[in-house]
Amino acid sequence: MKCVFVTVGTTSFDDLIACVSAPDSLQKIESLGYNRLILQIGRGTVVPEPFSTESFTLDVYRYKDSLKEDIGKADLVISHAGAGSCLEALEKGKPLVVVINEKLMNNHQLELAKQLHKEGHLFYCTCSSSLRH
């Protein structure tokens, strides 16, 4: 079973959750061979409906004491650019896509993502842009 884990940490990032849970995104994720998507939605107001079919499962939750288990299970981590979430995924050696929240004014997150990208650790994008390789 191949799993994608999406985390927004303790914040809310409705654009990311809405984008990744949209029907065309789910279709794309499944076409890439993943059959499970776990969304950690934090304080968000976008709350996708969990579902399970023969070929795909969507799980949704707000918070857990630790994300270690979900990061450990994941074959791919998609994360907001919070330092804690990024470092936790990288420590576990997981492929990481960081999505920058363009609505945050102090975009230190972009600086962190750019630096870690330059060092070859991750890819990053925004909800409205394509992936930076």
Side-chain angles (χ1 to χ4, degrees), residues 3-104:
C3 177
V4 178
F5 176 55
V6 178
T7 176
V8 303
T10 56
T11 64
S12 64
F13 193 172
D14 286 342
D15 288 350
L16 173 56
I17 298 302
C19 183
V20 82
S21 62
D24 56 339
S25 296
L26 294 175
Q27 207 171 2
K28 183 70 176 173
I29 290 167
E30 193 171 354
S31 77
L32 291 169
Y34 296 97
N35 43 22
R36 185 165 185 212
L37 175 61
I38 303 171
L39 302 178
Q40 183 267 316
I41 63 170
R43 294 196 311 259
T45 56
V46 173
V47 185
E49 194 63 42
F51 70 86
S52 195
T53 66
E54 270 182 34
S55 60
F56 198 84
T57 299
L58 173 66
D59 291 317
V60 180
Y61 67 89
R62 288 195 180 277
Y63 301 106
K64 283 184 183 173
D65 289 340
S66 169
L67 302 180
K68 279 189 184 6
E69 187 185 334
D70 286 322
I71 289 173
K73 276 192 286 208
D75 297 284
L76 170 66
V77 176
I78 300 174
S79 174
H80 75 127
S85 299
C86 289
L87 296 174
E88 204 167 344
L90 292 172
E91 279 171 7
K92 289 266 188 288
K94 299 297 178 172
L96 176 62
V97 174
V98 166
V99 183
I100 309 296
N101 189 342
E102 296 169 286
K103 291 182 177 153
L104 293 180

